[in-house]
Amino acid sequence: MSILSTKAMIKPQEYMAMQGKTVLVIGVGGYCQRFIWDVYKEFGIKIVLVDPDNKNSAISKVNSFIEYDFLSQKTEQEHAVCIIKILKEKGVTIDGCVTFIDTCGPLAATICHQQNLHGTGIQAAFVAKNKGTTYDVLRTKEQTNQFIVKYNQINTISGLENAFSYVGVPAVMKPENGSCGAGVKRITDFRELKVTYENEALTHGKKFTLMEFIEGTQHGIELILFQRELIASFVTDYGPTRKDRFTETTATMPSCLSKGAVEELMTAAHKCCIGIGLVDGVFNVEMKMTSNGPKLIEMNARMPSFYIRDWVLTCYGIDLLLYTFMTCLGIRPEITKPVSTHRIMGITCVPSVHKEQLLKSQTVDIFNDMDQRGIISYHQLSNSLEECENDGDEIPFCSLAVIDQDIQKTKDKLLNVWNSIGFKTDSYDIKYFLKDF
């Protein structure tokens, strides 16, 4: 994305207001967030990066780097004091602070609070970090309790029976912290719950939430908020996952739902953001649309990862990264109601099904070449196949998407691409994964 297109996207006074501002970024983030360290320069800002790893790839691309272990056993308040002290010793004044990592949300919010900067809101950052706490807060509020299904938090094996008795089956057990479906398991009986909890606790700790399994279509809602006001929002549709797995398979933007249903999701997501106290920033809310309206899956008090930033940019000409930085600097975005100009639809490749094809050295080269020629929009989401697999969990290795105008044309184009690359297999039923689009 060029500086010219950035200037075309925002009003001149907004662009000028960002020039020369310094933003503190907590944590380098993952492989699929590496674009940040190249793109931010187009906004005219400076970045000070704080991270424990003094060998991370972003160091050479940011204006200043501070090696600091915020993972050590201190409170967020103590870490914030230490980081602010280092900044003062270096003579650095920051104009904003942000993170792109779930676990760093409370620390970034604490620094914003201590420095009187715009941000997610300190209460909201601590609430959003834990799924059960998020449900607890929203269940007590009149504006949001209709979006919460039955759930129960589990902290020890002795709590399983009460949780199972209250929630019933089918249910979903998920770690209190986590993303990308890691550690999320479907539960059909008490014995399965007990065995699953004992196994997953070894990897994800003892804190889980057991929640009612929600029937319906799944959606991601991205929201830009400033002083709690909804500036803009975007809805992505996700296809069904494989049996007993929760890893993403397919997605499309804009949503295929009716205008009324899309508005309902946007309103529900905004109410949930306000409900936990989110103030300024770009946030991600995952919901299912059911016969009884939207139901919350989870919330992320940060900009979405994977390919969503590029998809929103392609469909709407709106850069979520730009508005993440703008809102943290206290600049209110001026966005007219976004209208999509394209449709994008994609399929993810996962190691448990596509490892043999993905291990071939030429596969990624072919995908990159197809991307360069405009045949697909390719996003590699992990640095290696090994990074995608961890103790029985997996995240997608990459996403292959196509762009067109019409839903059926886009779907047909995607199926043609999928069949042409030789990834077709009975264990990964693409037509089923695309059935809701």
Side-chain angles (χ1 to χ4, degrees):
M1 184 179 171
S2 69
I3 292 176
L4 285 175
S5 60
T6 299
K7 285 185 175 180
M9 184 187 303
I10 61 175
K11 296 182 183 300
Q13 62 268 28
E14 295 173 336
Y15 187 80
M16 292 305 298
M18 296 181 72
Q19 303 309 291
K21 298 293 185 183
T22 299
V23 178
L24 180 69
V25 177
I26 308 297
V28 71
Y31 183 82
C32 62
Q33 293 155 324
R34 66 196 184 282
F35 69 88
I36 294 169
W37 316 115
D38 294 315
V39 174
Y40 83 89
K41 297 172 185 177
E42 299 174 0
F43 308 145
I45 62 174
K46 300 174 183 177
I47 281 185
V48 178
L49 173 64
V50 178
D51 196 82
D53 180 9
N54 63 6
K55 293 183 173 64
N56 74 74
S57 59
I59 292 176
S60 62
K61 299 181 178 183
V62 297
N63 301 91
S64 181
F65 174 71
I66 296 172
E67 181 185 352
Y68 177 81
D69 185 10
F70 48 68
L71 302 175
S72 64
Q73 296 301 310
K74 292 181 181 178
T75 66
E76 274 76 7
Q77 288 76 11
E78 290 171 325
H79 283 309
V81 168
C82 291
I83 291 170
I84 291 168
K85 182 181 178 183
I86 294 171
L87 290 170
K88 287 181 179 178
E89 289 171 351
K90 290 179 173 289
V92 176
T93 301
I94 59 172
D95 303 292
C97 176
V98 73
T99 187
F100 299 93
I101 310 171
D102 291 315
T103 53
C104 295
L107 176 55
T110 302
I111 292 173
C112 289
H113 180 72
Q114 292 186 7
Q115 295 293 98
N116 197 29
L117 299 171
H118 286 256
T120 59
I122 189 165
Q123 176 189 346
F126 280 90
V127 170
K129 186 178 177 182
N130 298 291
K131 297 178 178 67
T133 308
T134 300
Y135 303 145
D136 284 343
V137 170
L138 296 176
R139 183 177 61 177
T140 63
K141 297 181 182 292
E142 186 179 347
Q143 292 292 312
T144 54
N145 58 19
Q146 69 267 35
F147 308 130
I148 308 301
V149 299
K150 285 195 293 184
Y151 72 95
N152 200 289
Q153 290 172 272
I154 304 169
N155 298 314
T156 64
I157 197 164
S158 62
L160 293 179
E161 197 166 328
N162 284 340
F164 182 82
S165 176
Y166 177 70
V167 175
V169 290
V172 174
M173 191 187 78
K174 55 176 67 177
E176 270 294 89
N177 312 116
S179 59
C180 304
V184 181
K185 304 296 179 183
R186 183 163 178 167
I187 304 299
T188 56
D189 58 49
F190 182 75
R191 181 183 175 280
E192 185 178 32
L193 173 62
K194 186 173 183 295
V195 172
T196 303
Y197 178 79
E198 290 173 339
N199 290 338
E200 295 301 318
L202 297 174
T203 304
H204 300 283
K206 294 181 178 180
K207 294 185 177 181
F208 285 79
T209 294
L210 185 71
M211 66 183 295
E212 178 185 347
F213 179 79
I214 310 168
E215 295 285 357
T217 53
Q218 186 165 336
H219 309 273
I221 304 97
E222 324 309 331
L223 306 98
I224 304 172
L225 265 61
F226 189 77
Q227 293 295 282
R228 298 185 176 86
E229 177 190 355
L230 180 60
I231 303 298
S233 57
F234 313 89
V235 177
T236 306
D237 294 350
Y238 293 102
T241 58
R242 288 179 291 159
K243 184 181 179 183
D244 298 328
R245 289 180 180 262
F246 292 87
T247 307
E248 180 187 319
T249 56
T250 58
T252 189
M253 178 186 290
S255 175
C256 300
L257 295 178
S258 67
K259 182 179 178 181
V262 169
E263 291 289 341
E264 198 175 352
L265 281 169
M266 290 177 174
T267 300
H270 185 211
K271 286 181 177 179
C272 288
C273 288
I274 300 304
I276 67 168
L278 290 170
V279 182
D280 298 308
V282 177
F283 308 115
N284 165 258
V285 178
E286 293 181 30
M287 293 187 135
K288 277 197 173 181
M289 178 57 84
T290 75
S291 56
N292 294 315
K295 302 298 177 186
L296 179 67
I297 299 174
E298 64 183 44
M299 302 179 67
N300 296 299
R302 52 146 175 86
M303 191 184 90
S305 58
F306 283 5
Y307 47 78
I308 292 297
R309 178 249 176 183
D310 280 1
W311 279 27
V312 173
L313 192 54
T314 297
C315 290
Y316 297 94
I318 301 292
D319 191 340
L320 296 180
L321 181 63
L322 168 66
Y323 292 111
T324 295
F325 287 127
M326 188 184 292
T327 53
C328 88
L329 291 169
I331 304 168
R332 184 189 185 280
E334 297 292 337
I335 303 175
T336 55
K337 189 176 173 98
V339 177
S340 62
T341 55
H342 298 85
R343 169 162 298 281
I344 189 163
M345 193 177 294
I347 300 170
T348 60
C349 300
V350 293
S352 61
V353 180
H354 308 115
K355 192 169 188 174
E356 183 179 346
Q357 295 99 322
L358 291 171
L359 281 173
K360 295 176 182 176
S361 58
Q362 70 269 28
T363 298
V364 171
D365 291 337
I366 291 171
F367 290 162
N368 280 314
D369 178 66
M370 293 173 73
D371 181 88
Q372 290 294 317
R373 291 189 288 141
I375 299 171
I376 63 172
S377 175
Y378 173 66
H379 288 83
Q380 187 171 322
L381 309 176
S382 297
N383 191 36
S384 66
L385 284 172
E386 290 73 24
E387 284 187 6
C388 299
E389 301 173 288
N390 182 28
D391 293 320
D393 294 320
E394 69 175 358
I395 62 172
F397 174 74
C398 64
S399 166
L400 313 177
V402 299
I403 302 166
D404 211 299
Q405 304 292 328
D406 172 80
I407 293 176
Q408 192 58 51
K409 285 181 181 178
T410 311
K411 187 188 293 189
D412 291 341
K413 184 186 288 189
L414 183 59
L415 286 169
N416 288 336
V417 166
W418 186 254
N419 291 333
S420 72
I421 62 174
F423 273 38
K424 187 176 180 181
T425 171
D426 291 339
S427 62
Y428 208 68
D429 189 346
I430 295 303
K431 288 187 177 181
Y432 170 72
F433 299 146
L434 293 171
K435 72 181 181 65
D436 294 327
F437 306 158

